[in-house]
């Protein structure tokens, strides 16, 4: 029993280091000019980025499908270091984030996200679900994959969500992927005999199975089979250097760990193509026809350097002299990338080739016109101004003025611009403005203008604004104003608070426009009365019969006709008398209304007093005599008969 307990305790102690090691495990994959490291660790996105930056990198970008496959290989190697539960999904942070306050942009491939190392767009995406339009918090992207699979099937999908925190890294977060970029790569070292190679990278990662070794890495080579004491004959260190511009190689040549006993039988002597043995146990490397041996005396290069299609991205390979080198040429609109073997698009819009708007396209560009302009022809000709004020095209209700790339609206006198876009015109109420009425007495607003009038007994002066005291004309009652004299305009009647000035000039006529709005009297009238429009006034004569204007008009009224226009008629005296009568009717009607209110109040008071008296009588105690009735006495007025009546006893 005790032996079993000790065994269980030993197993538990052996299991602890393995669990802790899994947290720090990492996998490295290098290709092209970058290395990718996959790590276990339940961290927030910010903490993961800090871990990567301390080693000289950033959270990984996934800008191409080729880059996605490199990251997939790193994750597959990382999954071999731990055995998670079957069917479990895990998430690994990458360097795609959207800051707080920046909302979703569905028109872009990255939906408004941007890479940590720079760049806001890419041609490759692999979204798992549509990104949420949340602007109130920072959002981060992770790779979603099933942990129980070797991750060699479909590429990991992109899942966006909260970036997590130090206390709560996020749901399902298992680790992160870093990316480290370099100037170039060295080929892996090849051993010609038994031995081991271990590479130490500048980002503090160690591996013995790199397919490309980053610049400035150190290779530790230990020769020997490892059997017995002293099996390791020697241990050497080599550095990946830049021997020429864009040429990276180790600072050694020839096969390593050569074994005279094994010769070419071990790993082909470390040669890439052919291995030739000597009679003394030595050997050398060679190449097949059409190839040449490189300076490292191990690898071979084609005599036609373009035979292996080293150029990519649409680039054309051009061999150099003697077939020792090659150059890549890009088509028009593209340029070589940093590796000098691929092509990337040239942004022609940086040189501002267009007169207005420039839009970059793959390998080319196109010019567009600003708002308010249009192309002059079918091609990419110059941009011409659009005449927004052309007939049938103007958005303005009145006047339209075209400008370069735009336009503006204006209104005629008596109107102001209105509407959200400033294209509508609204009538100005000159009679109700803050500066007061422009008329000396009555003011009638019309569409785009106004008219002045005068109270009964006054005439409009030749200036058309002030009023002068006018004579009264005897004769029959005047007829109501004709609509033909005043037009069909609608207006607002406003009575000026100032008393018309008496200049003694009898000239002038009264001009009143029809109105459909309310009116107000000047402060000199004690009782406020609403005036009806002139066309609503009833004639003062007999209903159904018209009254003719007085023929006794003052001759002085004929002079201002030319100043006042056709609307000013010689009927001013008739209208003045009609206006006096109308004003009198209004005053009498107001007085009658006030008297009726007083009578109603008095009646209510009397009624309440009578009711109070009856209630008081009912409250008095009844006496015994209340059940008897009294015989009415004879009126004293009938006791004495009229001695002068011819029939005594019959007077009432």
């Amino acid at each position: 029993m005790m032996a079993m307990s000790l065994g269980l305790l030993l197993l538990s102690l052996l299991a602890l280091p393995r669990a802790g090691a899994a947290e720090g495990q990492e996998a490295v994959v290098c290709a092209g000019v970058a290395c990718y490291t996959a790590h276990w660790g339940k961290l927030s996105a910010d903490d993961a980025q800090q871990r990567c930056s301390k080693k000289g990198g950033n959270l990984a970008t996934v800008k191409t499908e080729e880059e996605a496959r490199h990251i997939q290989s790193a994750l597959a190697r990382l999954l071999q270091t731990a055995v998670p539960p079957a069917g479990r999904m895990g998430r690994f942070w990458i360097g795609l984030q959207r800051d707080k306050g920046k909302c979703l942009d569905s028109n872009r491939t990255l939906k408004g996200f941007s890479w940590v190392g720079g760049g806001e767009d890419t041609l490759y995406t692999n979204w798992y679900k549509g990104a949420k339009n949340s602007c109130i918090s920072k959002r981060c992207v992770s790779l979603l994959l099933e942990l129980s699979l070797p991750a060699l099937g479909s590429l990991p999908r992109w899942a966006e969500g909260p970036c997590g925190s130090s206390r709560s890294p996020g749901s399902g977060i298992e680790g992160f992927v870093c990316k480290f970029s370099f100037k170039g790569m060295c080929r892996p070292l090849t051993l010609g005999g038994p031995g081991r190679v271990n590479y130490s990278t500048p980002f503090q990662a160690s591996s013995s199975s790199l397919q490309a070794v980053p610049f400035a890495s150190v290779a530790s080579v230990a020769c020997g089979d490892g059997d017995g004491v002293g099996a390791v004959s020697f241990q050497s260190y080599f550095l990946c250097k830049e021997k020429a511009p864009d040429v990276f190689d180790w600072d050694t040549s020839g096969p390593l760990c050569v074994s005279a006993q094994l010769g070419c039988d071990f790993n082909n002597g470390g040669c890439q193509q052919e291995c030739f043995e000597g009679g003394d146990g030595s050997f050398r490397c060679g190449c097949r026809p059409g190839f040449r041996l490189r300076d490292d005396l191990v690898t071979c290069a084609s005599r036609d350097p373009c035979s292996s299609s080293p150029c990519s991205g649409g680039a054309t390979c051009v061999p150099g002299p003697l077939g020792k080198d090659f150059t890549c040429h890009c088509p028009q609109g593209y340029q070589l990338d940093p590796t000098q073997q691929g092509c990337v698009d040239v942004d022609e819009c940086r040189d501002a080739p267009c007169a207005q708007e420039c839009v970059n396209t793959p390998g080319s560009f196109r010019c567009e016109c600003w708002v308010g302009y249009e192309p002059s022809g079918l091609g990419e000709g110059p941009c011409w101004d659009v005449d927004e004020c052309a007939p049938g095209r103007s958005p303005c209700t009145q006047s339209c003025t075209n400008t370069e790339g735009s336009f503006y609206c204006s209104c005629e006198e008596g109107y102001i611009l209105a509407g959200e876009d400033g294209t509508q015109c609204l009538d100005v109420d000159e009679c109700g403005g803050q500066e007061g009425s422009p008329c000396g007495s009555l003011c009638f607003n019309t569409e785009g203008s106004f008219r002045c009038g005068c109270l009964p007994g006054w005439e409009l002066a030749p200036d058309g604004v002030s009023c002068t005291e006018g004579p009264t004309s005897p004769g029959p009652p005047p007829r109501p104003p004709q609509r033909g004299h005043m037009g069909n305009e609608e207006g607002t009647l406003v009575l000026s608070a100032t008393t018309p000035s008496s200049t003694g000039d009898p000239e002038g006529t009264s001009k009143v426009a029809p109105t459909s709005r309310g009116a107000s009297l000047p402060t000199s009238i004690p009782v406020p009365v609403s005036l009806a429009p002139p066309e609503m006034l009833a004639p003062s004569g007999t209903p159904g019969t018209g009254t003719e204007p007085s023929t006794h008009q003052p001759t002085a009224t004929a002079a201002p006709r030319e100043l006042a226009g056709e609307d000013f008629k010689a009927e001013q005296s008739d209208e003045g008398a009609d206006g006096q009568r109308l004003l009198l009717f209004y005053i009498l009607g107001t007085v009658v209304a006030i008297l009726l209110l007083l009578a109603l109040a008095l009646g209510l008071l009397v009624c309440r007093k009578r009711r109070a008296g009856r209630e008081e009588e009912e409250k008095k105690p009844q006496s015994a005599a209340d059940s008897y009735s009294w015989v009415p006495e004879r009126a004293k007025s009938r006791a004495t008969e009229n001695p002068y009546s011819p029939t005594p006893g019959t007077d009432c």
Side-chain angles (χ1 to χ4, degrees):
M1 186 67 178
M2 182 176 296
M4 184 179 295
S5 300
L6 291 175
L8 293 175
L9 179 60
L10 181 60
L11 289 176
S12 62
L13 291 175
L14 292 175
L16 288 175
R18 294 178 63 86
E23 183 71 19
Q25 287 288 344
E26 64 179 9
V28 185
V29 170
C30 295
V33 291
C35 291
Y36 305 89
T37 60
H39 306 260
W40 294 106
K42 296 182 180 297
L43 304 174
S44 65
D46 291 340
D47 293 340
Q49 168 61 23
Q50 188 175 6
R51 291 277 187 94
C52 296
S53 62
K54 283 183 177 180
K55 297 182 179 181
N58 290 306
L59 284 174
T61 61
V62 194
K63 295 184 178 181
T64 62
E65 184 176 348
E66 182 181 7
E67 193 170 25
R69 296 199 180 277
H70 295 329
I71 295 176
Q72 183 185 39
S73 299
L75 290 172
R77 293 185 181 184
L78 182 68
L79 293 178
Q80 296 174 2
T81 63
V83 183
R88 179 179 174 185
M89 300 297 291
R91 294 168 54 192
F92 294 81
W93 292 121
I94 59 175
L96 191 59
Q97 301 177 357
R98 191 177 70 201
D99 293 334
K100 178 181 179 181
K102 191 172 183 180
C103 299
L104 176 71
D105 188 357
S106 57
N107 295 325
R108 308 186 67 174
T109 55
L110 291 184
K111 311 299 183 183
F113 287 81
S114 59
W115 299 108
V116 174
E120 295 185 356
D121 216 343
T122 182
L123 298 178
Y124 172 78
T125 58
N126 193 14
W127 293 102
Y128 174 64
K129 291 182 179 179
K132 295 183 179 180
N133 190 11
S134 174
C135 310
I136 60 175
S137 62
K138 185 178 180 180
R139 310 287 288 183
C140 297
V141 177
S142 58
L143 298 179
L144 182 66
L145 72 160
E146 189 172 351
L147 301 180
S148 60
L149 298 179
L152 294 178
S154 59
L155 296 176
R157 306 296 297 273
W158 297 6
E160 67 92 23
C163 299
S165 62
S166 299
R167 296 182 178 179
S168 177
S171 176
I173 295 298
E174 298 293 339
F176 55 95
V177 182
C178 299
K179 177 182 178 180
F180 305 91
S181 300
F182 297 92
K183 294 175 60 178
M185 297 280 181
C186 290
R187 60 176 179 81
L189 290 173
T190 303
L191 300 180
R196 298 185 303 275
V197 181
N198 187 65
Y199 303 101
S200 298
T201 64
F203 49 89
Q204 302 174 13
S206 297
S207 176
S208 59
S209 59
L210 293 180
Q211 299 300 319
V213 184
F215 166 68
S217 296
V218 176
S220 174
V221 179
C223 297
D225 55 7
D227 297 335
V229 180
V232 177
S233 59
F234 64 90
Q235 187 170 2
S236 303
Y237 296 91
F238 304 95
L239 177 66
C240 177
K241 301 169 59 178
E242 185 177 11
K243 290 190 172 183
D246 299 326
V247 177
F248 299 89
D249 206 346
W250 301 100
D251 57 351
T252 186
S253 60
L256 300 176
C257 301
V258 176
S259 174
Q261 293 80 11
L262 298 177
C264 294
D265 295 335
F266 184 89
N267 194 24
N268 195 32
C271 301
Q272 184 181 19
Q273 290 187 1
E274 303 292 342
C275 180
F276 302 97
E277 295 183 354
D280 55 354
S282 63
F283 62 90
R284 63 181 180 87
C285 297
C287 298
R288 293 189 291 269
F291 293 86
R292 60 178 181 84
L293 191 65
R294 290 181 180 271
D295 295 340
D296 60 5
L297 304 179
V298 173
T299 59
C300 297
S302 173
R303 296 189 181 275
D304 180 9
C306 296
S307 60
S308 59
S309 300
C311 301
S312 61
T316 302
C317 181
V318 179
L322 303 177
K324 291 184 178 182
D325 202 356
F326 67 92
T327 57
C328 298
H329 291 185
C330 294
Q332 185 178 4
Y334 293 86
Q335 63 184 3
L336 290 173
D337 61 8
T339 65
Q340 300 298 309
Q341 295 183 3
C343 294
V344 293
D345 176 53
V346 176
D347 187 3
E348 295 86 355
C349 293
R350 292 181 299 181
D351 300 330
C354 301
Q356 293 187 356
E357 187 73 21
C358 177
V359 179
N360 185 52
T361 59
S364 183
F365 68 97
R366 69 174 184 271
C367 296
E368 295 182 352
C369 297
W370 297 332
V371 177
Y373 294 86
E374 59 185 1
S376 57
L378 297 178
E380 295 183 354
C383 294
W384 288 356
D385 172 56
V386 176
D387 186 5
E388 293 88 354
C389 299
R393 196 172 185 175
S394 174
C396 305
T397 56
Q398 292 188 5
S399 300
C400 178
T401 303
N402 185 54
T403 60
E404 280 294 327
S406 185
F407 69 97
Y408 67 88
C409 300
S410 58
C411 299
E412 300 173 0
E413 186 177 359
Y415 295 86
I416 58 174
L417 281 175
E420 295 181 358
D421 52 357
T423 59
Q424 309 299 317
C425 289
L426 182 66
D427 173 52
V428 177
D429 186 2
E430 294 86 354
C431 298
Q434 297 181 354
E435 299 179 357
S437 173
C439 301
S441 180
L442 303 181
C443 181
F444 300 93
N445 184 52
T446 60
E447 283 293 329
S449 184
F450 68 96
R451 294 179 181 178
C452 296
C454 298
L455 291 173
W458 299 80
E459 296 179 350
L460 196 65
D463 59 4
V465 175
S466 59
C467 293
T468 59
E469 190 173 1
T472 58
S473 176
R479 61 182 179 180
Q482 300 297 322
R483 291 189 58 95
H485 298 325
M486 259 107 31
N488 297 327
E489 301 141 325
E490 294 185 357
T492 302
L493 171 62
V494 175
L495 303 184
S496 175
T498 60
T499 305
S501 61
S502 178
T503 61
D505 186 2
E507 296 181 358
T509 58
S510 178
K511 175 182 170 185
V512 180
T515 178
S516 62
R517 307 183 209 173
S520 61
L521 283 174
T523 56
S524 59
I525 299 177
V527 180
V529 183
S530 298
L531 296 181
E535 64 266 29
M536 300 302 294
L537 300 177
S540 59
T542 306
T545 63
T547 58
E548 295 296 327
S550 173
T551 59
H552 302 285
Q553 295 285 346
T555 58
T557 59
R561 291 183 181 179
E562 299 161 353
L563 298 173
E566 291 299 325
D567 289 338
F568 292 90
K569 299 299 181 178
E571 300 174 358
Q572 186 275 338
S573 300
D574 297 342
E575 295 175 358
D578 195 9
Q580 290 179 353
R581 186 178 295 104
L582 177 62
L583 180 61
L584 181 59
F585 288 162
Y586 285 159
I587 296 175
L588 291 177
T590 305
V591 173
V592 170
I594 294 174
L595 293 176
L596 288 175
L597 290 175
L598 293 175
L600 180 60
L602 183 61
L604 292 175
L605 182 61
V606 172
C607 181
R608 292 185 63 181
K609 286 186 177 182
R610 288 183 178 178
R611 183 181 300 172
R614 286 197 299 269
E615 291 178 357
E616 186 177 357
E617 290 179 0
E618 291 176 358
K619 292 179 181 179
K620 290 181 181 181
Q622 297 181 355
S623 61
D626 290 340
S627 59
Y628 295 91
S629 61
W630 298 92
V631 177
E633 295 181 357
R634 183 168 185 157
K636 294 181 181 181
S637 59
R638 301 182 56 130
T640 305
E641 297 182 355
N642 188 2
Y644 301 101
S645 176
T647 56
T650 61
D651 292 338
C652 300

